[in-house]
Amino acid sequence: QVQLVESGGGLVQPGGSLRLSCAASGSFFSINAMGWYRQAPGNKRELVAHISSGGGTNYANSVKGRFTISRDNAKNTVYLQMNSLKPEDTAVYYCNAAATAPGIMGDYDYWGQGTQVTVSS
């Protein structure tokens, strides 16, 4: 199995910045695509940013130009740099990873427990 642990969430004023980290641990052969999702109260979980194993990225329109996703394959870690934060960015942010692990055929999606991001003055 693969465990994902997020960190870096918290309370920030509008216009501020936060950097989220997600570290993968456990037994796995490789981690392929990774991404960040978020879910606000009463809303459906939505994709925020995605990064492929080769470094290609994709962002939700609402965060383009403000958020940057990156990864460090040697550390099995994905990051989300969030700048110019807005109140509407308030949500629980979840890390996602597609990985191959012993005893499992093909890739399997794993999820972190989530970290709260609150943007408020």
Side-chain angles (χ1 to χ4, degrees):
Q1 295 293 307
V2 178
Q3 293 80 46
L4 302 176
V5 180
E6 303 101 331
S7 62
L11 175 65
V12 65
Q13 296 184 33
S17 298
L18 285 174
R19 189 191 191 211
L20 305 184
S21 299
C22 173
S25 63
S27 298
F28 54 86
F29 299 126
S30 64
I31 295 177
N32 299 309
M34 303 186 79
W36 289 95
Y37 291 71
R38 68 186 181 187
Q39 186 170 18
N43 293 342
K44 184 180 179 180
R45 186 175 299 185
E46 64 177 354
L47 174 68
V48 176
H50 174 276
I51 185 166
S52 70
S53 60
T57 59
N58 181 256
Y59 298 91
N61 288 333
S62 60
V63 307
K64 285 183 178 178
R66 299 188 297 120
F67 291 10
T68 302
I69 188 171
S70 61
R71 65 190 292 168
D72 186 334
N73 291 334
K75 296 180 179 179
N76 299 127
T77 300
V78 63
Y79 306 93
L80 185 67
Q81 178 66 46
M82 304 184 294
N83 299 325
S84 302
L85 283 162
K86 305 175 180 179
E88 50 263 45
D89 294 319
T90 296
V92 177
Y93 284 70
Y94 297 91
C95 178
N96 169 263
T100 56
I104 299 176
M105 300 299 295
D107 289 349
Y108 187 84
D109 281 346
Y110 297 88
W111 292 89
Q113 291 298 114
T115 184
Q116 178 70 49
V117 172
T118 302
V119 184
S120 176
S121 59

